[in-house]
Amino acid sequence: MIRLPRLSVDPTAFPAIETALEEPDGLLAFGGDLGSERLLAAYAQGIFPWYSEGQPILWWSPDPRMVIATAAVHVPRRLRRWLKSCNWTIRTDHAFAEVMRACAEPRHDGGGTWITEAMLAAYTRLHAEGHAHSLEVHDGAALIGGIYGIAIGRMFFGESMFSRREHASKVALLALCHGLATQGFPLLDAQVRSAHLETLGARAMPRTDFLCAITRLCSQTGIPGNWAGLFDHLRPQDLCRPIP
């Protein structure tokens, strides 16, 4: 039987991440709520919520943590060739709710269903407060891909991405990394291992190192408020070039 601590009424209080379970990897606590103060405190401590409809809120801090060094994101050779003729457009913070709902749609691998209505409401609220952001990929007027996450200081915590066309989620992730790197965000949290993300340069970081990194980055001055238009200048061809 798994015994987990229940979160207290203090929205900033979480168990030490070293007490997280090894199996399932990173399960730390349950309960609490999805209020903005609690969510921001969780991310700043290397913790995130992940649960399915009908479950209590579960809080996780896996070890190791998958991260991407934004300035060193990898563009595979075949994708690089394809990007040179891509005419999609990239936008930031123009369709946050639509990106979240697209990420919540059922997928062929069974993913997406963990984004409950409560999660949608909580992260949309964080977006309105200037903490959560999205990057969208369009083909003409059609939204075909995107990614969203949380920014605290100079750290970006990726949450989920989606693709309605081949390569659309890759373009979203590459564009986000490119934009973040140029704005002084050196690291993107990718949470858990994914073979797909590893092809783009994601790597495993020991949880203790991850916590040290985010403690430093979250304390720095970030980019407050809405990010609408922040990375709209990017084109797919730009993602083939080295990040300045």
Side-chain angles (χ1 to χ4, degrees), residues 93 96 127 130-135 147-149 151 156 223 225-227:
D93 268 4
F96 182 87
H127 173 64
H131 305 296
H133 306 283
S134 63
L135 184 141
I147 186 171
Y148 76 94
F156 196 91
I223 304 172
N226 193 286
W227 286 11

Side-chain angles (χ1 to χ4, degrees), residues 137-227:
V137 180
H138 288 82
D139 184 1
L143 177 65
I144 60 169
I147 186 171
Y148 76 94
I150 308 296
I152 304 177
R154 293 285 167 174
M155 179 67 200
F156 196 91
F157 300 88
E159 268 297 307
S160 188
M161 58 186 180
F162 80 97
S163 184
R164 290 174 176 157
R165 303 273 182 84
E166 187 179 9
H167 300 318
S169 62
K170 293 178 183 178
V171 170
L173 181 63
L174 292 173
L176 178 62
C177 286
H178 196 290
L180 290 173
T182 59
Q183 292 292 328
F185 288 69
L187 207 60
L188 185 149
D189 174 29
Q191 296 185 345
V192 296
R193 183 184 178 277
S194 159
H196 169 65
L197 293 177
E198 286 177 337
T199 66
L200 300 176
R203 61 184 177 86
M205 176 182 282
R207 185 169 55 201
T208 53
D209 294 348
F210 177 75
L211 184 58
C212 287
I214 66 170
T215 298
R216 173 177 55 84
L217 293 171
C218 288
S219 67
Q220 297 178 11
T221 301
I223 304 172
N226 193 286
W227 286 11

Side-chain angles (χ1 to χ4, degrees), residues 82 86-90 136-145 165 168:
W82 180 86
C86 179
N87 62 358
W88 293 345
T89 56
I90 296 161
E136 306 101 32
V137 180
H138 288 82
D139 184 1
L143 177 65
I144 60 169
R165 303 273 182 84

Side-chain angles (χ1 to χ4, degrees), residues 100-107 109-116 160:
M100 268 206 82
R101 289 202 173 275
C103 290
E105 294 171 356
R107 305 177 190 176
D109 61 359
T113 56
W114 61 271
I115 303 177
T116 64
S160 188

